[in-house]
Amino acid sequence: MIYEYTLSTPRENLYSITAQVREAVTKSGISDGIAVVFCPHTTAGITINENADPDVVHDILLGLDRAYPDRPEFRHGEGNSTAHLKASTIGASETIIIKDGKAVLGTWQGIYFCEFDPPRNRKFFVKVMSD
């Protein structure tokens, strides 16, 4: 089963999509299996990281900005090469184990849609599969 979600991203940020992923798992009725969360965009990504302290999101964004500063020698005509680099580093998908009808996440883990080229109207997909 594939579930499609939309998201408005007014600024560069990591947006929690944990609730939507859990919703897809519940709707699927699958007891044991996996869920794949996929981002079909080249300047955004999906990651799993801490969801308890908002400073973690701040620090991730700061680290990515420092790792990928805008450079005058970039050639991409749209001027968003740093967004492409960040998205490639984060990756386009995550896989979550489903056990007893629930997404298996650590105590401090959340699932994030990572926007690097705002503002946009985005979408992401959750594919839920049984064992």
Side-chain angles (χ1 to χ4, degrees), residues 53-107:
D53 181 355
D55 288 339
V56 172
V57 168
H58 171 270
D59 294 349
I60 289 171
L61 292 170
L62 180 65
L64 288 168
D65 283 344
R66 296 257 166 94
Y68 301 108
D70 197 20
R71 297 177 175 271
E73 61 267 27
F74 285 155
R75 294 183 180 178
H76 184 45
E78 288 182 53
N80 60 355
S81 291
T82 58
H84 288 285
L85 290 165
K86 292 172 185 179
S88 288
T89 297
I90 293 295
S93 67
E94 288 287 349
T95 302
I96 296 97
I97 294 169
I98 301 168
K99 182 180 178 196
D100 299 326
K102 297 187 187 309
V104 176
L105 292 168
T107 302

Coordinates of all heavy atoms in Angstrom, one line a residue, residues 53-107:
D53 N 14.7 17.4 21.5 CA 15.3 18.7 21.7 C 15.4 19.4 20.4 O 16.1 19.0 19.5 CB 16.7 18.4 22.3 CG 17.5 19.7 22.5 OD1 17.0 20.8 22.2 OD2 18.6 19.7 23.1
P54 N 14.7 20.5 20.2 CA 14.7 21.2 19.0 C 16.0 21.8 18.6 O 16.3 22.1 17.4 CB 13.7 22.4 19.2 CG 13.4 22.5 20.6 CD 13.8 21.1 21.2
D55 N 16.9 21.9 19.5 CA 18.3 22.3 19.2 C 19.0 21.3 18.3 O 19.9 21.7 17.6 CB 19.1 22.5 20.5 CG 18.7 23.8 21.3 OD1 18.0 24.7 20.7 OD2 19.0 23.8 22.5
V56 N 18.6 20.1 18.3 CA 19.2 19.1 17.4 C 18.9 19.5 15.9 O 19.8 19.5 15.1 CB 18.7 17.7 17.7 CG1 19.2 16.7 16.6 CG2 19.2 17.2 19.1
V57 N 17.7 19.9 15.6 CA 17.4 20.3 14.3 C 18.2 21.6 13.9 O 18.8 21.6 12.8 CB 15.8 20.6 14.1 CG1 15.5 21.3 12.8 CG2 15.1 19.3 14.2
H58 N 18.3 22.5 14.8 CA 19.1 23.7 14.6 C 20.5 23.3 14.3 O 21.1 23.8 13.3 CB 19.0 24.6 15.8 CG 20.0 25.7 15.8 ND1 21.3 25.6 16.3 CD2 19.9 27.0 15.3 CE1 21.9 26.8 16.1 NE2 21.1 27.6 15.5
D59 N 21.1 22.4 15.1 CA 22.5 22.0 14.9 C 22.7 21.3 13.6 O 23.7 21.4 12.9 CB 22.9 21.2 16.1 CG 23.0 22.0 17.4 OD1 22.8 23.3 17.3 OD2 23.1 21.4 18.4
I60 N 21.8 20.4 13.2 CA 21.9 19.7 11.9 C 21.9 20.7 10.8 O 22.8 20.7 9.9 CB 20.7 18.7 11.7 CG1 20.9 17.5 12.7 CG2 20.6 18.2 10.3 CD1 19.7 16.6 12.7
L61 N 21.0 21.7 10.8 CA 20.9 22.7 9.7 C 22.2 23.5 9.7 O 22.7 23.8 8.6 CB 19.7 23.6 9.9 CG 18.3 22.9 9.6 CD1 17.2 23.7 10.0 CD2 18.2 22.4 8.2
L62 N 22.7 23.9 10.9 CA 23.9 24.7 11.0 C 25.1 23.9 10.4 O 25.9 24.4 9.7 CB 24.2 25.1 12.4 CG 25.4 25.9 12.7 CD1 25.3 27.3 12.0 CD2 25.7 26.1 14.2
G63 N 25.2 22.6 10.8 CA 26.3 21.8 10.3 C 26.2 21.6 8.8 O 27.3 21.7 8.1
L64 N 25.0 21.4 8.2 CA 24.9 21.3 6.8 C 25.3 22.6 6.1 O 25.9 22.6 5.0 CB 23.5 20.8 6.4 CG 23.2 19.4 6.7 CD1 21.7 19.1 6.6 CD2 24.0 18.4 5.8
D65 N 24.9 23.7 6.7 CA 25.3 25.0 6.1 C 26.8 25.2 6.1 O 27.3 25.7 5.1 CB 24.6 26.2 6.9 CG 23.1 26.4 6.5 OD1 22.7 25.8 5.5 OD2 22.5 27.1 7.3
R66 N 27.4 24.8 7.1 CA 28.9 24.9 7.2 C 29.6 23.9 6.3 O 30.6 24.2 5.7 CB 29.4 24.7 8.7 CG 28.9 25.7 9.6 CD 29.9 26.8 10.0 NE 29.4 27.9 10.6 CZ 29.3 28.1 12.0 NH1 29.8 27.1 12.7 NH2 28.8 29.2 12.5
A67 N 29.0 22.7 6.2 CA 29.6 21.7 5.3 C 29.4 22.1 3.8 O 30.3 21.8 3.0 CB 29.0 20.4 5.6
Y68 N 28.3 22.7 3.5 CA 28.0 23.1 2.1 C 27.7 24.5 1.9 O 26.5 24.9 1.7 CB 26.8 22.2 1.6 CG 27.1 20.7 1.7 CD1 26.4 20.0 2.7 CD2 28.0 20.1 0.9 CE1 26.7 18.6 2.8 CE2 28.2 18.8 0.9 CZ 27.6 18.0 1.9 OH 27.9 16.7 2.0
P69 N 28.7 25.4 2.0 CA 28.4 26.8 1.8 C 28.2 27.1 0.3 O 28.7 26.3 -0.5 CB 29.7 27.5 2.3 CG 30.8 26.4 2.1 CD 30.1 25.1 2.3
D70 N 27.5 28.1 0.0 CA 27.3 28.5 -1.4 C 28.6 29.0 -1.9 O 29.4 29.7 -1.3 CB 26.2 29.7 -1.4 CG 25.7 29.8 -2.8 OD1 25.8 28.9 -3.6 OD2 25.2 30.9 -3.2
R71 N 28.9 28.6 -3.2 CA 30.2 28.9 -3.8 C 30.0 29.6 -5.1 O 29.1 29.1 -5.9 CB 31.0 27.6 -4.0 CG 31.4 26.9 -2.7 CD 32.1 25.6 -3.0 NE 32.6 25.0 -1.8 CZ 33.8 25.3 -1.2 NH1 34.6 26.1 -1.7 NH2 34.1 24.6 -0.1
P72 N 30.7 30.6 -5.4 CA 30.5 31.3 -6.7 C 30.9 30.4 -7.9 O 30.4 30.6 -9.0 CB 31.5 32.5 -6.6 CG 32.4 32.2 -5.5 CD 31.7 31.2 -4.6
E73 N 31.7 29.3 -7.7 CA 32.1 28.5 -8.8 C 31.0 27.4 -9.1 O 31.1 26.7 -10.1 CB 33.4 27.8 -8.6 CG 33.5 27.0 -7.4 CD 34.1 27.7 -6.1 OE1 33.9 28.9 -6.0 OE2 34.6 27.0 -5.3
F74 N 29.9 27.3 -8.4 CA 28.9 26.4 -8.7 C 28.3 26.8 -10.0 O 28.1 28.0 -10.3 CB 27.8 26.4 -7.6 CG 28.1 25.7 -6.4 CD1 27.5 26.0 -5.2 CD2 29.0 24.6 -6.4 CE1 27.8 25.3 -4.0 CE2 29.3 23.9 -5.2 CZ 28.7 24.3 -4.0
R75 N 27.9 25.9 -10.9 CA 27.4 26.2 -12.2 C 25.9 26.0 -12.4 O 25.4 26.5 -13.4 CB 28.1 25.3 -13.2 CG 29.6 25.5 -13.3 CD 30.2 24.6 -14.4 NE 31.6 24.9 -14.5 CZ 32.4 24.2 -15.3 NH1 31.9 23.3 -16.1 NH2 33.7 24.5 -15.4
H76 N 25.3 25.3 -11.5 CA 23.8 25.0 -11.7 C 23.1 26.3 -11.8 O 23.1 27.2 -11.0 CB 23.3 24.2 -10.5 CG 21.9 23.8 -10.6 ND1 21.3 23.2 -11.8 CD2 20.9 23.8 -9.7 CE1 20.1 23.0 -11.6 NE2 19.8 23.3 -10.3
G77 N 22.3 26.4 -12.9 CA 21.6 27.7 -13.3 C 20.6 28.2 -12.3 O 20.3 29.3 -12.2
E78 N 20.0 27.2 -11.6 CA 18.9 27.7 -10.6 C 19.5 28.3 -9.3 O 18.7 28.8 -8.5 CB 18.0 26.5 -10.2 CG 17.1 26.0 -11.4 CD 16.2 24.9 -10.9 OE1 15.6 25.0 -9.9 OE2 16.2 23.8 -11.7
G79 N 20.8 28.1 -9.1 CA 21.4 28.7 -7.9 C 21.1 28.0 -6.6 O 21.3 28.5 -5.6
N80 N 20.7 26.7 -6.7 CA 20.4 26.0 -5.5 C 21.3 24.7 -5.3 O 20.9 23.7 -4.8 CB 18.9 25.6 -5.5 CG 18.5 24.7 -6.7 OD1 19.3 24.4 -7.6 ND2 17.3 24.3 -6.6
S81 N 22.5 24.8 -5.8 CA 23.5 23.7 -5.7 C 23.6 23.2 -4.2 O 23.7 22.0 -4.0 CB 24.8 24.0 -6.3 OG 24.7 24.2 -7.7
T82 N 23.7 24.1 -3.3 CA 23.8 23.7 -1.9 C 22.6 22.8 -1.4 O 22.8 21.9 -0.7 CB 23.9 24.9 -0.9 OG1 22.8 25.7 -1.0 CG2 25.2 25.7 -1.2
A83 N 21.4 23.1 -1.9 CA 20.2 22.3 -1.6 C 20.4 20.9 -2.2 O 20.0 19.9 -1.5 CB 19.0 23.0 -2.1
H84 N 20.9 20.8 -3.4 CA 21.2 19.5 -4.0 C 22.2 18.7 -3.2 O 22.0 17.5 -3.0 CB 21.6 19.6 -5.4 CG 20.5 20.0 -6.4 ND1 19.5 19.2 -6.8 CD2 20.3 21.2 -6.9 CE1 18.7 19.9 -7.6 NE2 19.1 21.1 -7.7
L85 N 23.3 19.3 -2.8 CA 24.3 18.7 -2.0 C 23.7 18.2 -0.6 O 24.0 17.1 -0.2 CB 25.5 19.6 -1.7 CG 26.3 19.9 -3.0 CD1 27.2 21.1 -2.7 CD2 27.1 18.7 -3.4
K86 N 23.0 19.0 0.0 CA 22.4 18.7 1.3 C 21.4 17.5 1.2 O 21.4 16.5 2.0 CB 21.7 19.8 2.0 CG 22.6 21.0 2.4 CD 21.8 22.2 2.8 CE 22.7 23.4 3.2 NZ 21.9 24.5 3.6
A87 N 20.6 17.5 0.1 CA 19.6 16.5 -0.1 C 20.3 15.2 -0.4 O 19.9 14.1 0.1 CB 18.7 16.9 -1.2
S88 N 21.4 15.2 -1.2 CA 22.2 14.0 -1.5 C 22.8 13.4 -0.2 O 22.9 12.2 0.0 CB 23.2 14.2 -2.5 OG 22.6 14.4 -3.8
T89 N 23.3 14.3 0.7 CA 23.9 13.8 1.9 C 22.8 13.2 2.8 O 23.1 12.1 3.4 CB 24.5 15.0 2.6 OG1 25.6 15.5 1.8 CG2 25.1 14.6 4.0
I90 N 21.7 13.8 3.0 CA 20.6 13.3 3.8 C 20.0 12.0 3.2 O 19.8 11.0 4.0 CB 19.5 14.3 4.1 CG1 20.1 15.5 4.9 CG2 18.3 13.7 4.7 CD1 20.5 15.1 6.3
G91 N 19.8 12.0 2.0 CA 19.2 10.9 1.3 C 17.7 11.0 1.1 O 17.0 11.8 1.7
A92 N 17.1 10.2 0.1 CA 15.7 10.4 -0.3 C 14.8 9.5 0.4 O 13.6 9.6 0.2 CB 15.7 10.1 -1.8
S93 N 15.3 8.6 1.3 CA 14.3 7.6 1.9 C 14.9 7.1 3.3 O 16.1 7.2 3.5 CB 14.0 6.5 1.0 OG 15.1 5.7 0.8
E94 N 13.9 6.6 4.0 CA 14.2 5.8 5.3 C 13.3 4.6 5.3 O 12.2 4.7 4.8 CB 14.0 6.7 6.5 CG 15.0 7.8 6.7 CD 16.4 7.4 7.2 OE1 16.5 6.2 7.6 OE2 17.3 8.2 7.2
T95 N 13.8 3.6 5.9 CA 13.0 2.3 6.1 C 12.8 2.2 7.6 O 13.7 2.3 8.4 CB 13.8 1.1 5.6 OG1 14.1 1.3 4.2 CG2 13.0 -0.1 5.8
I96 N 11.5 1.9 8.0 CA 11.1 1.8 9.4 C 10.5 0.4 9.5 O 9.7 0.0 8.7 CB 10.1 2.8 9.8 CG1 10.7 4.2 9.7 CG2 9.6 2.6 11.2 CD1 10.5 5.0 8.5
I97 N 10.9 -0.3 10.6 CA 10.4 -1.7 10.9 C 9.0 -1.5 11.5 O 8.8 -0.6 12.3 CB 11.3 -2.4 11.8 CG1 12.7 -2.7 11.2 CG2 10.7 -3.7 12.4 CD1 13.7 -3.2 12.1
I98 N 8.1 -2.4 11.1 CA 6.8 -2.4 11.7 C 6.7 -3.7 12.5 O 6.9 -4.8 12.0 CB 5.6 -2.4 10.7 CG1 5.7 -1.1 9.8 CG2 4.3 -2.5 11.3 CD1 4.9 -1.2 8.6
K99 N 6.3 -3.5 13.8 CA 6.1 -4.7 14.7 C 4.8 -4.5 15.5 O 4.6 -3.4 16.0 CB 7.3 -4.8 15.7 CG 7.2 -6.0 16.6 CD 8.4 -6.0 17.5 CE 8.3 -7.2 18.4 NZ 9.1 -7.1 19.6
D100 N 4.0 -5.5 15.5 CA 2.7 -5.5 16.2 C 1.9 -4.3 15.8 O 1.3 -3.6 16.6 CB 3.0 -5.5 17.7 CG 3.7 -6.7 18.2 OD1 3.4 -7.8 17.6 OD2 4.5 -6.6 19.2
G101 N 1.9 -3.9 14.5 CA 1.1 -2.9 14.0 C 1.6 -1.5 14.2 O 0.9 -0.5 14.0
K102 N 2.8 -1.3 14.7 CA 3.4 0.0 15.1 C 4.7 0.2 14.5 O 5.5 -0.8 14.3 CB 3.5 0.2 16.6 CG 2.1 0.1 17.3 CD 2.3 0.5 18.7 CE 1.0 0.3 19.5 NZ -0.2 0.9 19.1
A103 N 5.0 1.4 14.1 CA 6.4 1.8 13.6 C 7.3 1.7 14.8 O 7.1 2.2 15.9 CB 6.4 3.2 13.1
V104 N 8.4 1.0 14.6 CA 9.5 0.8 15.6 C 10.4 2.0 15.5 O 11.2 2.1 14.5 CB 10.2 -0.5 15.4 CG1 11.3 -0.6 16.5 CG2 9.2 -1.7 15.6
L105 N 10.4 2.9 16.5 CA 11.3 4.0 16.6 C 11.8 4.0 18.0 O 11.2 3.7 19.0 CB 10.6 5.3 16.3 CG 10.1 5.5 14.9 CD1 9.1 6.7 14.8 CD2 11.3 5.7 13.9
G106 N 13.1 4.5 18.1 CA 13.7 4.7 19.4 C 13.0 5.8 20.2 O 12.2 6.6 19.7
T107 N 13.2 5.8 21.5 CA 12.5 6.7 22.4 C 12.6 8.2 21.9 O 11.7 8.9 22.0 CB 13.1 6.6 23.8 OG1 12.9 5.3 24.3 CG2 12.5 7.6 24.8

